[in-house]
Amino acid sequence: MSPRLTLAEQNDRFRSVMQIPQFEASELKGRHLITRGVAALPPVAQIEIIAKVRDFNVFTEENDPYGEHDFGAIEHEGVGTIFWKIDYYDLDYEMGSPDPSDPSVTRRVLTIMLASEY
């Protein structure tokens, strides 16, 4: 394995710190977003959903065919299916990253959405 973390490891690290204060700079830069549908849910539901996404670890060949840990689906009582996905952008968030595995040229965007918004 290369000295850099794999995409899956990077994505797991990026997702695992979502909405948790960070006191040290991370090499993995990016944004965590929720859609309007998720934002319209009660605050407690939003917190629970974010925690489920942060802790998600049920990756299989069926739901993660490329082994990148960049997409997942969870169920939330009273809401239904929630999707989350990670996209890779260049440093200005204008185009795709030239090398998603290189944190020096990549910014991640993790989006949490209702399945109906996909």
Side-chain angles (χ1 to χ4, degrees), residues 13 16-26:
R13 279 186 44 210
S16 73
V17 299
M18 180 173 46
Q19 302 298 319
I20 296 176
Q22 300 301 300
F23 301 104
E24 296 179 17
S26 171

Side-chain angles (χ1 to χ4, degrees), residues 14-108:
F14 182 71
R15 193 170 29 80
S16 73
V17 299
M18 180 173 46
Q19 302 298 319
I20 296 176
Q22 300 301 300
F23 301 104
E24 296 179 17
S26 171
E27 68 175 338
L28 301 173
K29 308 283 189 226
R31 300 173 180 162
H32 301 110
L33 306 174
I34 60 174
T35 59
R36 289 180 187 212
V38 175
L41 297 172
V44 170
Q46 292 179 43
I47 292 167
E48 292 169 347
I49 289 166
I50 289 169
K52 286 180 179 181
V53 170
R54 187 174 50 231
D55 298 338
F56 185 88
N57 65 2
V58 187
F59 295 101
T60 65
E61 191 171 304
E62 183 178 298
N63 70 14
D64 189 31
Y66 301 106
E68 295 180 3
H69 295 193
D70 60 353
F71 178 86
I74 59 171
E75 295 296 322
H76 191 73
E77 186 175 336
V79 177
T81 304
I82 304 288
F83 291 152
W84 61 266
K85 66 185 193 95
I86 297 175
D87 295 301
Y88 313 105
Y89 289 90
D90 65 9
L91 300 180
D92 297 319
Y93 297 96
E94 293 179 358
M95 301 179 72
S97 171
D99 180 2
S101 68
D102 182 352
S104 71
V105 298
T106 302
R107 296 296 178 260
R108 285 170 166 71

